[in-house]
Amino acid sequence: MSSTMEPPGGAYLHLGAVTSPVGTARMLQLAFGCTTFSLVAHRGGFGGVQGTFCMAAWGFCFAFSVLVVACEFTRLHSCLRLSWGNFTAAFAMLATLLCATAAVIYPLYFTRLECPPEPAGCTVRNFRLAASVFAGLLFLAYAAEVALTRARPGQVASYMATVSGLLKIVQAFVACIIFGALVHESRYGRYVATQWCVAVYSLCFMATVAVVVLSVMGHTGGLGCPFDRLVVVYTFLAVLLYLSAAVIWPVFCFDPKYGEPGRPADCLRGSCPWDSQLVVAIFTYVNLLLYIVDLAYSQRIRFVPAL
């Protein structure tokens, strides 16, 4: 007499995790990601902060993509104490931004059409060109997942899959760029006004990260008041704070009374405070625009904390 043990909730393995459109995008992410950093590590080569960032970004995205595919395929994500829909949406958006940055940085710093001198020769150039191509394909694979999983109008979806949720990831990413420029010879400590701007960037960044973490961990239902209302109020305050920074930072960095209106002629490339100040100013306006768009979308969504 033979007996067969059937899983009570259906098949243990979820084939749709690799055969659906989203699953196909994730499998392409694994293939392109592994190919990209293998080409670079084998013969393409990398160095400096830029190359290390690219390899770290590709390695991070590949590792978490393996985790996502494995959990989806084995259905183990149901055992995790987090909101899986929010987690995958947030990771896909973050990976898209990281891979987009790496796909720009690596060709810019390491890829040339002419062959380097021996002993590297044309082999290294060919590996770097191939790595650059696959880096671009990797970015497109993650962008495809974001497009496929993004909440449509009228659709019930996780918060992080909405436009407002995705914008939170972009806002935090832009804030990291601002912090990178601030610590690189920006001289933000000269005036109290510029220190206020740094406080604005820090407060908004921490609040944005808190929103993402609460959503991913599935703890938005126990805050004592509606989560979507809190998000709208916070986003409105962030718009006001960034608006103040967008006015103050350029005045105290580029006005002749406090700073330099133009790039000094004796400023060295790569260690020029004026360049860092300009990067901070540009991305301050970028984040201000993102928060304004976020505020407009936040008033139109209805949050479902159980997803």
Side-chain angles (χ1 to χ4, degrees):
M1 179 178 178
S2 62
S3 61
T4 304
M5 295 286 294
E6 292 290 341
Y12 285 120
L13 300 181
H14 180 213
L15 294 179
V18 295
T19 58
S20 65
V22 175
T24 302
R26 289 171 177 165
M27 296 304 294
L28 290 175
Q29 293 163 10
L30 294 179
F32 295 151
C34 184
T35 303
T36 301
F37 65 69
S38 295
L39 288 169
V40 174
H42 180 55
R43 290 296 297 274
F46 66 97
V49 176
Q50 297 83 5
T52 302
F53 169 82
C54 293
M55 289 296 285
W58 294 325
F60 169 83
C61 295
F62 179 78
F64 272 85
S65 291
V66 170
L67 174 65
V68 169
V69 172
C71 288
E72 287 272 1
F73 188 63
T74 59
R75 302 181 190 270
L76 287 177
H77 61 83
S78 59
C79 302
L80 302 177
R81 299 177 63 86
L82 50 79
S83 173
W84 187 249
N86 281 316
F87 172 76
T88 54
F91 165 68
M93 188 70 246
L94 177 60
T96 300
L97 295 172
L98 288 173
C99 290
T101 307
V104 172
I105 290 178
Y106 189 80
L108 186 63
Y109 282 90
F110 299 99
T111 304
R112 299 290 183 271
L113 293 179
E114 64 274 5
C115 295
E118 296 295 340
C122 292
T123 302
V124 170
R125 182 206 62 177
N126 295 339
F127 269 83
R128 290 179 175 179
L129 286 173
S132 300
V133 171
F134 278 100
L137 293 175
L138 180 61
F139 156 69
L140 292 177
Y142 280 111
E145 180 180 350
V146 173
L148 289 170
T149 57
R150 183 179 66 84
R152 302 300 190 273
Q155 177 185 2
V156 178
S158 305
Y159 171 72
M160 295 306 303
T162 65
V163 173
S164 179
L166 296 174
L167 283 174
K168 292 292 186 295
I169 304 296
V170 184
Q171 292 158 6
F173 188 82
V174 171
C176 289
I177 298 176
I178 293 175
F179 292 141
L182 285 172
V183 300
H184 190 67
E185 301 288 341
S186 66
R187 298 179 181 175
Y188 65 85
R190 290 187 301 169
Y191 305 107
V192 175
T194 51
Q195 293 177 29
W196 160 257
C197 294
V198 176
V200 168
Y201 305 141
S202 302
L203 288 172
C204 293
F205 174 76
M206 289 187 292
T208 300
V209 171
V211 169
V212 174
V213 171
L214 287 172
S215 300
V216 170
M217 298 303 295
H219 294 331
T220 55
L223 297 178
C225 60
F227 179 71
D228 51 353
R229 187 172 302 175
L230 277 178
V231 170
V232 171
V233 172
Y234 148 67
T235 307
F236 176 70
L237 292 176
V239 169
L240 296 180
L241 290 172
Y242 258 90
L243 186 60
S244 69
V247 173
I248 293 173
W249 183 267
V251 169
F252 281 84
C253 290
F254 307 121
D255 188 275
K257 183 178 179 180
Y258 303 102
E260 297 285 346
R263 192 178 192 275
D266 59 346
C267 216
L268 298 177
R269 182 179 179 182
S271 60
C272 182
W274 193 89
D275 292 343
S276 297
Q277 293 167 2
L278 180 62
V279 170
V280 172
I282 291 173
F283 283 98
T284 296
Y285 285 105
V286 170
N287 240 2
L288 173 61
L289 179 61
L290 290 173
Y291 277 109
I292 292 174
V293 174
D294 188 3
L295 181 63
Y297 273 97
S298 296
Q299 300 181 76
R300 298 167 52 186
I301 66 172
R302 291 297 177 266
F303 176 66
V304 182
L307 293 177

